[in-house]
Amino acid sequence: MKLHSAIACFILCSNVFAQQNTVAVVPQPAKMRILEGSFTLGNNSFIEVAGNNSDVKRIAAYLSQSLSAPTGYKIMVKDNPDGPGNSGNIHLMLNAAGDPSLGKEGYQLQVSPNSVIMRANQPAGLFYAVQTLLQLFPGETEGKKKVENVKWSAPCADITDYPRFGWRGLMFDVSRHFFTKEDVKLFIDNMVKYKYNLLHLHLTDDEGWRIQIKSLPKLTEVGAWNVKKTGTFGNFSPPAPDEPKNYGGFYTQDDIKELVQYAADRFVNILPEVDIPGHSLAAIASYPELSCTPGADKYRVRSGEKIMNW
């Protein structure tokens, strides 16, 4: 009898362990228990918001769009000032009394067969709870178009999460090779999925000056453009004087304002990097009088290089 009990316990524990191993959340939450059952979205599912916080409503709209596009369901957002009731499938709410263990970016996420409840002290925590919930659903939620023949289910779970580090940054080098405003937005969209909160934007280097300075127009008229060269570093010829300098681009001040707001709406701060005095060939080529080196008026913006394949 004892042997049978031991075997049954072993099988049960193995099944739970295997189930937990099949659920991947990145970064791994501080605490996560995978439970039996699953929550399934349907055409009558909706998101319920407690309170009138504008940031929370914006997060709810973000979740609605993220789920509606791939599922084809119209997952609406509804107000419920009294908090979760018997109705409503997905609930977002701020804690009336702050939980010290969660801090400003932590959250609690409870997924049951009948509902999903997300709680946090601050809107940032709810936003990160949404990112975790989206990871629990099938990978097809990444898409922007309706996907057929997918069961839109998330495993039941009890998750408490908070960051170990306040500064969670990624660097995006838009100087050596220019990336459009839409590319930067896509980069932000991808980094927040993994709960990064700081974008280090590398705006100037030898290969290009990428931010408009209205009082110094040559920085972008001259410094934002070079001759396109491909190959590995050090293995292509320097640009000839008559080669067209049409590779590059820059962000207007309005572009930068738009990107800063886009990032802020996703709880990301942008840290701009302007390389001075080193790595400033694009600036010197634009305004040679800034240099003390004879012959600076002959300088050209450095050509970009293709990243080597490893």
Side-chain angles (χ1 to χ4, degrees), residues 73-216:
Y73 303 146
K74 292 183 179 179
I75 300 176
M76 307 299 290
V77 178
K78 298 184 179 182
D79 291 328
N80 183 356
D82 299 323
N86 294 326
S87 62
N89 294 118
I90 302 176
H91 311 273
L92 283 75
M93 54 192 303
L94 295 176
N95 292 325
D99 183 340
S101 67
L102 298 180
K104 294 181 179 180
E105 296 179 297
Y107 63 88
Q108 293 173 320
L109 170 61
Q110 296 173 312
V111 182
S112 70
N114 298 318
S115 66
V116 175
I117 299 177
M118 288 174 269
R119 294 184 176 90
N121 296 335
Q122 299 290 335
L126 287 179
F127 183 73
Y128 295 132
V130 164
Q131 301 308 318
T132 295
L133 177 63
L134 291 173
Q135 288 192 33
L136 293 177
F137 280 111
E140 286 82 357
T141 52
E142 294 281 336
K144 303 298 182 183
K145 296 181 180 180
K146 182 179 178 180
V147 183
E148 301 286 354
N149 301 319
V150 175
K151 186 179 181 182
W152 301 104
S153 296
C156 292
D158 189 354
I159 298 173
T160 299
D161 196 17
Y162 40 82
R164 291 179 60 197
F165 304 102
W167 178 299
R168 305 183 302 280
L170 288 177
M171 192 270 277
F172 195 14
D173 187 347
V174 298
S175 176
R176 290 178 174 85
H177 294 280
F178 180 67
F179 291 85
T180 67
K181 178 176 63 177
E182 297 307 314
D183 290 331
V184 179
K185 288 182 178 180
L186 180 60
F187 191 88
I188 293 170
D189 287 339
N190 285 323
M191 65 185 284
V192 298
K193 294 175 184 177
Y194 306 105
K195 304 179 178 70
Y196 287 98
N197 65 358
L198 187 133
L199 173 59
H200 170 178
L201 201 56
H202 187 63
L203 289 166
T204 72
D205 213 301
D206 292 337
E207 290 81 7
W209 186 284
R210 305 302 181 200
I211 180 170
Q212 179 190 42
I213 307 296
K214 292 182 179 180
S215 61
L216 299 168

Side-chain angles (χ1 to χ4, degrees), residues 12-13 15-25 28-29 31-39 109-113 132 135-137 154-160:
L12 176 62
C13 292
N15 287 339
V16 171
F17 180 76
Q19 187 181 18
Q20 288 182 333
N21 279 351
T22 61
V23 177
V25 176
Q28 183 177 334
K31 300 175 184 177
M32 181 170 70
R33 286 194 307 130
I34 303 302
L35 309 173
E36 290 186 6
S38 61
F39 170 82
L109 170 61
Q110 296 173 312
V111 182
S112 70
T132 295
Q135 288 192 33
L136 293 177
F137 280 111
C156 292
D158 189 354
I159 298 173
T160 299

